[in-house]
Amino acid sequence: MSIYLEISENLQKGKAKAVKELVQKAVDEGLPAKEILEKSLLAGMDEIGERFKNGTVYVPEVLVAARAMKMGFEILVPLLAESGVKASGKVCIGTVQGDLHDIGKNLVKMMMEGKGLEVVDLGNDVPPKTFIDTAIEQNCQVICCSALLTTTMDVMADVVKCAEEAGIRDKVKIMVGGAPVTEEFCKEIGADVYTSDAASAADAAVELCKR
Ligand code: B1M
């Protein structure tokens, strides 16, 4: 079995220690950091993402796989920086103001990182202006809003309005999600993309960053 496949399979099983050791072994063997990232870590997260979408794995499996990915990724970060490899895009993410639920948001973040995106995590209870200020200051291509309460989902409409008022609406895409959010709601508030799960959110963000 190739070392890439071995890393990918251990990642999918959430074996963080094995992933870390194997990534170090691959580095020591002189394999390029970018190749290790793409052919083992991102490939493994892609596989988990697909299985999460089709319902053959659940939240806990995704969380442990993402943790394993992070352990391997930490070894590669300095090497990737040295070789000038850039993230495929930059997004900011947060759970909207008034809402403290962050498990789903964290899952979306991990899936996005697993796709090679740079993610600025604003945490939970995030005011609309913070999303906008961050997008401007940190040059984010996509703003990602999560909400779990029917009483807080309307804050997403304020994020869209705030982006319009700041004059950046044509420069930034706005993605929305979370249990009470729907495609219809997304259209109604003038956001760009709704996805129902974390893996689809990551796929959509990658597409938006390409534009
Ligand atoms: Co709360 N809570 N909660 N809670 N809580 C719910 C959401 C609720 C449905 C429970 C219920 O009544 N049946 C209900 C909301 C009802 C409603 O609004 N209609 C509720 C309530 C009422 C409350 C409080 C008001 C309770 C109270 O104090 N009286 C309070 C609110 C606090 C606040 O936010 N201000 C509260 C508090 C809490 C805890 C703090 C105890 C805890 C949160 C801990 C934490 O997140 N760190 C909590 C929890 C855990 C839940 C439940 C049980 C689980 C939520 C969860 O994490 N699901 C939930 C009931 C339930 O769902 N069974 C409930 C797993 C997570 C992976 O799913 O976040 O949906 P989810 O994310 C999914 C997708 O939605 C999507 O991807 C994820 C995975 O694929 N997704 C996106 C999420 N964000 C996305 C963004 C995207 C795209 C996709 O693009 C940007």
Side-chain angles (χ1 to χ4, degrees):
M1 190 194 294
S2 82
I3 191 157
Y4 293 140
L5 192 58
E6 216 181 326
I7 295 170
S8 169
E9 291 194 348
N10 276 284
L11 180 148
Q12 290 171 53
K13 289 178 193 151
K15 295 188 176 171
K17 193 166 167 270
V19 167
K20 194 177 170 187
E21 286 167 5
L22 285 163
V23 168
Q24 189 59 58
K25 188 174 165 215
V27 169
D28 294 343
E29 281 175 9
L31 295 168
K34 185 171 183 282
E35 205 172 286
I36 304 172
L37 175 70
E38 286 169 358
K39 294 192 176 171
S40 60
L41 299 181
L42 299 186
M45 275 312 283
D46 260 352
E47 183 63 35
I48 278 286
E50 284 309 310
R51 283 162 47 199
F52 180 62
K53 268 196 260 180
N54 66 34
T56 52
V57 299
Y58 301 97
V59 173
E61 285 95 328
V62 177
L63 292 176
V64 289
R67 192 173 136 260
M69 186 201 71
K70 217 170 174 185
M71 298 273 276
F73 187 59
E74 275 164 13
I75 296 173
L76 298 178
V77 169
L79 302 167
L80 290 167
E82 268 169 34
S83 57
V85 174
K86 282 194 182 150
S88 55
K90 189 167 182 180
V91 311
C92 59
I93 189 166
T95 306
V96 297
Q97 191 163 33
D99 201 326
L100 303 178
H101 296 85
D102 64 0
I103 298 168
K105 183 268 295 171
N106 291 340
L107 211 53
V108 174
K109 177 194 169 190
M110 287 172 187
M111 286 290 189
M112 288 181 171
E113 287 177 337
K115 288 272 174 190
L117 295 171
E118 185 179 349
V119 184
V120 181
D121 186 357
L122 301 170
N124 56 22
D125 194 14
V126 183
K129 193 171 177 305
T130 305
F131 283 103
I132 307 309
D133 290 348
T134 306
I136 295 170
E137 284 157 20
Q138 303 218 35
N139 266 324
C140 299
Q141 293 142 286
V142 187
I143 292 174
C144 306
C145 305
S146 178
L148 261 284
L149 299 171
T150 45
T151 49
T152 58
M153 57 195 274
D154 285 336
V155 177
M156 292 173 166
D158 298 336
V159 174
V160 176
K161 269 189 225 137
C162 206
E164 280 161 6
E165 283 162 16
I168 61 158
R169 189 64 191 95
D170 57 337
K171 295 184 190 74
V172 71
K173 297 290 177 193
I174 300 177
M175 285 180 57
V176 292
V181 182
T182 60
E183 178 77 52
E184 199 186 358
F185 177 76
C186 171
K187 285 195 184 123
E188 194 184 303
I189 64 169
D192 297 298
V193 175
Y194 159 77
T195 58
S196 61
D197 64 83
S200 309
D203 289 340
V206 168
E207 285 309 311
L208 291 175
C209 286
K210 280 183 193 160
R211 290 183 200 165

